[in-house]
Amino acid sequence: MERPPSSATCASNEPKQDRIPPALRDAPRGRYSSENSTSIFPNGAAEWRKNSPPLRGKPFPSGRRHRMDLTKADEIIDEYQQDRSWLVMILQDVQEAYNYLPAPALRRVADRLEIALGQVYNVATFYSSFALEQRGKHLIRVCDGTACHLRGAVNLREEITRQLGITEGQTTPDKMFTLEEVACLGACALAPVMTVDSEYHGQMTLEKLRQTLEVYSQGEVPAATG
């Protein structure tokens, strides 16, 4: 006689749609917009935590959870008087304080503003200026606009990869540099151009690039060029 399936097995065979709370199942999907920016739970974060299943997959950067000092995040939220309409500005200030948007800080923002964590995550992933992975001390952006592309931007990126061992979106193991590619930096007259943090470095050559990276590696900030 075959052994009847256990209750756990039966539960796992239930249609997934039936196990999703109606508020989540019927919620609008897609990227963040003003039309779906309000919480789908009128009573805020407490109701969301009660009714929502745990987030599956990897909605946030992988790694062990650890206790993080969220004092800065709390101070920023207090400055905006816990007003959810300032969510984007709050996330900008949180990223400036931590150099990225750590998962514990996003959870704290959701709790303090009493909005769904998924809503905060939608905003954080909608804008390319937000980073969910820890970035390096110095952020390198290489312009890939038409003028820069024609004048050797590809060679600059390849040289950065040779010098630092990273490609677009990656950070060096010592957390010193993060490399990003941008469509345009708005300085076509200086092509090819790149920025390190907020400093513009224009009319770059491979030799100037090597010198610039060396100076930053030594903890100094070279003057902008161009």
Side-chain angles (χ1 to χ4, degrees):
M1 179 180 296
E2 294 185 3
R3 183 178 180 180
S6 64
S7 58
T9 303
C10 293
S12 63
N13 291 331
E14 295 176 2
K16 292 183 178 180
Q17 189 75 0
D18 294 341
R19 301 203 302 271
I20 301 176
L24 282 179
R25 185 171 61 243
D26 301 331
R29 299 180 182 275
R31 289 185 177 274
Y32 175 84
S33 69
S34 58
E35 295 180 357
N36 62 11
S37 61
T38 57
S39 174
I40 58 178
F41 293 105
N43 294 330
E47 184 182 357
W48 179 81
R49 286 193 298 268
K50 178 180 178 181
N51 291 279
S52 300
L55 293 173
R56 304 291 183 182
K58 295 182 179 180
F60 297 108
S62 59
R64 295 182 59 185
R65 287 190 179 184
H66 58 280
R67 299 187 65 86
M68 172 177 285
D69 184 0
L70 297 176
T71 302
K72 293 180 180 178
D74 284 327
E75 292 175 350
I76 292 169
I77 296 170
D78 290 338
E79 288 179 2
Y80 289 93
Q81 300 178 346
Q82 296 181 242
D83 187 344
R84 67 182 64 178
S85 64
W86 292 100
L87 176 58
V88 174
M89 298 296 293
I90 290 173
L91 293 180
Q92 287 178 334
D93 289 354
V94 169
Q95 176 163 285
E96 183 176 351
Y98 294 95
N99 201 30
Y100 75 116
L101 293 176
L106 293 180
R107 295 188 184 96
R108 180 60 61 87
V109 170
D111 287 343
R112 293 287 308 279
L113 299 186
E114 295 189 339
I115 57 180
L117 177 59
Q119 178 184 336
V120 177
Y121 179 70
N122 283 344
V123 176
T125 55
F126 179 79
Y127 296 100
S128 60
S129 59
F130 288 136
L132 299 183
E133 296 281 359
Q134 187 172 4
R135 300 188 299 187
K137 179 180 179 181
H138 299 295
L139 178 61
I140 303 173
R141 289 190 171 101
V142 179
C143 180
D144 195 42
T146 301
C148 290
H149 185 81
L150 293 176
R151 296 184 182 181
V154 174
N155 295 332
L156 294 180
R157 289 197 302 274
E158 291 177 349
E159 182 62 22
I160 292 173
T161 297
R162 282 192 292 269
Q163 294 290 326
L164 303 179
I166 58 174
T167 58
E168 289 86 351
Q170 295 182 342
T171 300
T172 55
D174 60 1
K175 304 298 182 184
M176 180 63 70
F177 295 103
T178 294
L179 175 61
E180 289 185 357
E181 178 184 336
V182 294
C184 184
L185 288 173
C188 299
L190 300 178
V193 63
M194 58 178 273
T195 62
V196 182
D197 302 329
S198 59
E199 295 293 335
Y200 277 73
H201 300 274
Q203 299 175 345
M204 293 296 291
T205 63
L206 296 183
E207 182 59 30
K208 289 172 64 175
L209 172 62
R210 298 186 191 102
Q211 294 174 358
T212 300
L213 294 178
E214 179 65 23
V215 172
Y216 277 102
S217 297
Q218 295 175 356
E220 302 177 13
V221 179
T225 61

